[in-house]
Amino acid sequence: FSGPFTDVVTTNLKLRNPSDRKVCFKVKTTAPRRYCVRPNSGIIDPGLSVIVSVMLQPFDYDPNEKSKHKFMVQTIYAPPNISDMEAVWKEAKPDELMDSKLRCVFEMPNENDKLNDIDASKSAPVLNTSKQDGPMPKPHSVSLNDTETRKLVEECKRLQAEVMKLSDENRHLRDEGLRLRKVAHSDKSGSPTALALRDNGSNSLPSLLVVIAAIFIGFFLGKFIL
């Protein structure tokens, strides 16, 4: 059985009947849970052959562990008018039975073979690219990416300038609001209602500017990610 053994591995046995009589056969193994044999018994006509598939179930392969699995193919001349195969084997005498014993061998693919397969798979794309004419598409795509990057950088600088401008205006309006608040406190003849309206107007302007700055930054980030 050749690995890897991460999936079912199948090996075929060819049983041939060289005699001039029908022969019954049966396949046995020392590890019945590890193998699936189809067919595991039957009849072979004179001069004909039968293919028996032995399927090894997946397992964790250990190269240091020696295989102790064995198979035995038992045969007996088929009596005339066979009606019950089980009865044939139960009633068979020891001197009428013939058997062949086989020992299982597990092999992993050679590392050199793996390297040769990898080199062969790599050589095909190289030969195909050598036949192409004209410029490769990859550098063209890189230049487009560079152009887009420059545009995004310029947009970032422009948005940063807008944010700084809005910050300056926000600072100016905040200072103006503080000045108006001081004037309102010092103005004894001013009405409380007018003072409250003036404070609300001065406080709403910085908040509006912060919202506008957030919209610019969100627009820039969305464009950069896309």
Side-chain angles (χ1 to χ4, degrees):
F1 297 91
S2 298
F5 302 101
T6 56
D7 201 354
V8 177
V9 181
T10 303
T11 296
N12 294 327
L13 298 177
K14 184 177 181 180
L15 307 181
R16 189 174 69 87
N17 179 9
S19 68
D20 55 357
R21 297 172 56 185
K22 290 184 177 181
V23 173
C24 300
F25 74 91
K26 179 189 292 186
V27 182
K28 296 182 177 181
T29 178
T30 57
R33 295 183 179 180
R34 298 286 295 276
Y35 299 91
C36 181
V37 182
R38 293 291 183 273
N40 59 358
S41 63
I43 300 175
I44 308 176
D45 291 330
L48 299 182
S49 301
V50 170
I51 300 298
V52 178
S53 297
V54 182
M55 290 162 278
L56 172 63
Q57 303 304 309
F59 72 102
D60 294 331
Y61 174 69
D62 185 2
N64 298 322
E65 180 181 356
K66 294 184 179 180
S67 173
K68 298 180 180 179
H69 300 170
K70 295 180 181 180
F71 279 82
M72 181 173 67
V73 181
Q74 282 188 331
T75 56
I76 186 175
Y77 285 118
N81 300 325
I82 300 175
S83 58
D84 188 359
M85 289 291 296
E86 293 295 332
V88 171
W89 293 105
K90 289 181 180 179
E91 298 173 0
K93 298 178 181 179
D95 56 350
E96 296 176 344
L97 295 174
M98 297 167 284
D99 59 71
S100 299
K101 296 180 180 180
L102 303 171
R103 184 174 62 87
C104 296
V105 178
F106 302 142
E107 294 181 350
M108 289 295 290
N110 193 350
E111 293 297 332
N112 293 331
D113 295 339
K114 292 182 179 180
L115 293 176
N116 291 335
D117 294 339
I118 294 174
D119 293 340
S121 63
K122 288 183 178 180
S123 62
V126 172
L127 292 176
N128 291 335
T129 55
S130 63
K131 295 179 181 180
Q132 295 178 355
D133 298 329
M136 297 295 291
K138 187 174 181 181
H140 180 66
S141 62
V142 171
S143 63
L144 290 177
N145 291 335
D146 292 340
T147 303
E148 293 293 332
T149 302
R150 286 194 297 270
K151 290 182 179 179
L152 290 175
V153 171
E154 293 175 358
E155 186 69 17
C156 179
K157 292 180 179 180
R158 188 183 67 81
L159 290 175
Q160 287 178 350
E162 292 289 338
V163 171
M164 292 178 64
K165 181 179 179 181
L166 290 173
S167 298
D168 293 338
E169 292 180 358
N170 187 21
R171 190 181 304 106
H172 175 72
L173 291 173
R174 186 171 60 251
D175 295 340
E176 185 66 20
L178 291 175
R179 187 183 67 80
L180 292 175
R181 190 178 295 111
K182 291 179 181 180
V183 172
H185 281 294
S186 62
D187 188 4
K188 296 181 180 180
S189 62
S191 63
T193 305
L195 179 60
L197 291 174
R198 189 180 304 167
D199 290 340
N200 291 334
S202 62
N203 290 332
S204 62
L205 288 175
S207 301
L208 180 61
L209 293 176
V210 172
V211 172
I212 295 174
I215 292 174
F216 273 105
I217 294 174
F219 173 78
F220 166 70
L221 291 178
K223 185 173 182 180
F224 184 78
I225 293 174
L226 293 176

